[in-house]
Amino acid sequence: MNTPNQTMTRPARGSELGPILAVLFVALSAALVGTFAGLGHEKVIAHRFDFWFCAALAGIGWVARSVGANKGVVIASTVLGCFVMLTCYQEPLVRYLTLGALLFAMGVFGMSKSRNAVRVLMSIELMLNAVNINLIAFSKYVDPVQLKGQVFAIFILTVAAAEAAVGLAIVLSLYRNTSTVDMDKFNLLKW
Amino acid sequence: MLGTLLASPSVETTLFYLLSTLAICLAVGVLVDRVVIRSGFILIGVFGSIAGIFLLLSAQFIALAQVMIYAVAITLVIVIALMLTNPRSESEPLVKEEELPPPAAFFRSLKNNFPLWVSIMSFVTIYVALTGENHWPISTEAAPIDSVKVIGEQLTTTYAIPFEFASVLLLAALMGAIMLAKNDKSEVSAQTEASLLEAKKAEENLALSR
């Protein structure tokens, strides 16, 4: 039986992937820098202090985390600081869209990082909610007469309900067959 | 009264930052908390604050539907699934990495945090696209007083076929969920009978030893 504070050592699995992923990371950073360069060098580097502020916040959070601060507090304060800094000078529509993008990114992170299958489903619900925020913000600020965004939000609610029911039923039957909900152990469909 | 109060920009800004702070902090809690069932309950708070944001955006119908469907129904299903699935491993075990030389450890941390890089990159990409040169065509037309009426008319006229397909989708998903989650008696019964017999025997032994 697993006790809550059990620690275990994972073998160095797939360590040959490290250099490849590092190269991929460098390529992604180059793409990001390229995006900024496309916007105009002076616009991003000189006048966008918010990006530098966010990078500094992330560095402070990293230092605090390596000193030994609480993980959740560090992540929440860093994300909140970046969010406020990125949105406080924007118009209202962009604020709502940024909130949706932030929740969507957090859902992507949780979906690919967490090992519990039910938590993966929770992250998917979070992503669907972020999409709903986007749609309703657009329906208020861009299309306030016909409200098409709200109609699409209703469809997304329906699909989310169906997805939750089917996903949790799959998790239940998997648990009944394998007595685990660990995503790393679900390898039935591996070739 | 409430509408005029919400229409003033400072009130809306204050409420927006209040609700989004709640939503972001609780979403971090959902992702980070090591006890899964606690994060399932925190999810109710996330959905509730997002419903508040929908109210700010003057989408009353969607806000109430959000509270009913997400904050009650889906969270209830998730919590019940957690109660049915988690044996003793409610907390994910801490993974202790083995010692490595610094460059290998650096690459290891890059690899292990790959979802983090992907999500940060996606957020930055979306944000740069949002705040680019081209501005959104913000409309200044007055919103309809009865938004539910507008939505209902569109659902029954323009979007009638997707609406019907959504009902078919719900029916199919519910039937599929029932089929998937149904306990197959014939396979399980042999095992459960054996385990029941063992449990009964152990109980008798315990009673005898007293």
Side-chain angles (χ1 to χ4, degrees):
Chain A
M1 284 294 156
N2 290 330
T3 55
N5 287 322
Q6 185 192 24
T7 60
M8 61 181 188
T9 308
R10 241 199 228 171
R13 176 170 52 103
S15 56
E16 73 277 3
L17 267 180
I20 302 172
L21 288 178
V23 169
L24 198 59
F25 178 57
V26 171
L28 277 177
S29 331
L32 190 67
V33 171
T35 313
F36 286 166
L39 279 181
H41 171 267
E42 68 280 355
K43 198 170 193 180
V44 174
I45 304 297
H47 296 295
R48 297 302 292 268
F49 290 109
D50 42 1
F51 279 110
W52 296 112
F53 182 82
C54 291
L57 261 186
I60 291 171
W62 183 62
V63 168
R65 178 70 187 135
S66 49
V67 164
N70 189 355
K71 190 180 177 187
V73 174
V74 168
I75 296 177
S77 51
T78 309
V79 171
L80 254 184
C82 293
F83 175 69
V84 173
M85 191 63 202
L86 287 178
T87 54
C88 59
Y89 293 120
Q90 303 290 342
E91 46 189 310
L93 173 62
V94 177
R95 269 184 206 157
Y96 288 105
L97 298 186
T98 310
L99 177 64
L102 186 60
L103 286 180
F104 188 83
M106 284 163 76
V108 167
F109 173 71
M111 189 184 74
S112 44
K113 184 75 174 170
S114 59
R115 295 174 58 204
N116 193 316
V118 184
R119 202 194 289 258
V120 171
L121 285 175
M122 290 186 213
S123 308
I124 294 175
E125 301 297 334
L126 208 60
M127 287 160 68
L128 287 169
N129 256 296
V131 173
N132 263 350
I133 291 179
N134 262 8
L135 284 176
I136 291 177
F138 275 128
S139 88
K140 175 168 183 193
Y141 286 103
V142 180
D143 180 26
V145 177
Q146 294 196 323
L147 297 175
K148 280 178 188 151
Q150 299 197 16
V151 178
F152 278 93
I154 290 174
F155 289 133
I156 287 186
L157 281 179
T158 318
V159 173
E163 173 262 330
V166 174
L168 290 168
I170 288 174
V171 168
L172 268 188
S173 71
L174 266 178
Y175 175 72
R176 201 175 288 133
N177 287 327
T178 60
S179 24
T180 179
V181 285
D182 194 340
M183 292 296 280
D184 290 351
K185 301 214 174 88
F186 291 158
N187 52 6
L188 281 173
L189 288 181
K190 247 184 195 171
W191 64 87
Chain B
M1 170 65 195
L2 195 66
T4 52
L5 194 67
L6 280 183
S8 84
S10 62
V11 173
E12 202 209 345
T13 306
T14 314
L15 279 179
F16 170 74
Y17 279 112
L18 202 68
L19 288 170
S20 57
T21 304
L22 255 179
I24 289 169
C25 290
L26 293 175
V28 169
V30 168
L31 299 186
V32 167
D33 205 327
R34 283 182 56 228
V35 185
V36 182
I37 194 137
R38 206 190 292 153
S39 64
F41 281 115
I42 293 174
L43 202 62
I44 299 177
V46 179
F47 291 152
S49 44
I50 290 177
I53 286 173
F54 289 167
L55 274 184
L56 263 189
L57 285 169
S58 63
Q60 294 91 354
F61 178 70
I62 307 285
L64 290 181
Q66 163 96 0
V67 170
M68 272 198 303
I69 295 176
Y70 271 111
V72 179
I74 289 182
T75 323
L76 192 73
V77 172
I78 284 177
V79 168
I80 286 176
L82 279 177
M83 287 171 179
L84 286 180
T85 52
N86 267 350
R88 286 282 161 259
S89 61
E90 285 147 352
S91 315
E92 295 173 11
L94 290 173
V95 177
K96 195 178 177 185
E97 299 291 348
E98 46 189 313
E99 294 292 322
L100 280 176
F106 177 68
F107 285 135
R108 162 77 69 80
S109 77
L110 273 192
K111 184 185 78 112
N112 283 353
N113 289 325
F114 195 64
L116 183 65
W117 310 131
V118 171
S119 57
I120 289 177
M121 291 291 168
S122 62
F123 172 70
V124 170
T125 310
I126 297 174
Y127 180 75
V128 168
L130 286 180
T131 57
E133 289 287 308
N134 48 347
H135 292 284
W136 302 104
I138 290 182
S139 164
T140 52
E141 290 172 86
I145 300 167
D146 200 355
S147 67
V148 181
K149 190 183 167 197
V150 176
I151 298 172
E153 276 174 1
Q154 291 204 0
L155 272 183
T156 46
T157 54
T158 318
Y159 299 104
I161 294 175
F163 188 63
E164 297 301 323
F165 273 119
S167 62
V168 173
L169 172 76
L170 264 186
L171 180 66
L174 280 182
M175 286 168 64
I178 291 170
M179 281 300 294
L180 280 172
K182 197 177 63 173
N183 206 346
D184 207 349
K185 279 276 162 50
S186 57
E187 283 184 18
V188 179
S189 59
Q191 288 179 6
T192 47
E193 270 177 21
S195 60
L196 271 182
L197 271 182
E198 266 179 28
K200 212 173 260 179
K201 217 176 265 177
E203 221 168 84
E204 279 173 6
N205 286 342
L206 199 67
L208 284 181
S209 67
R210 269 183 205 152

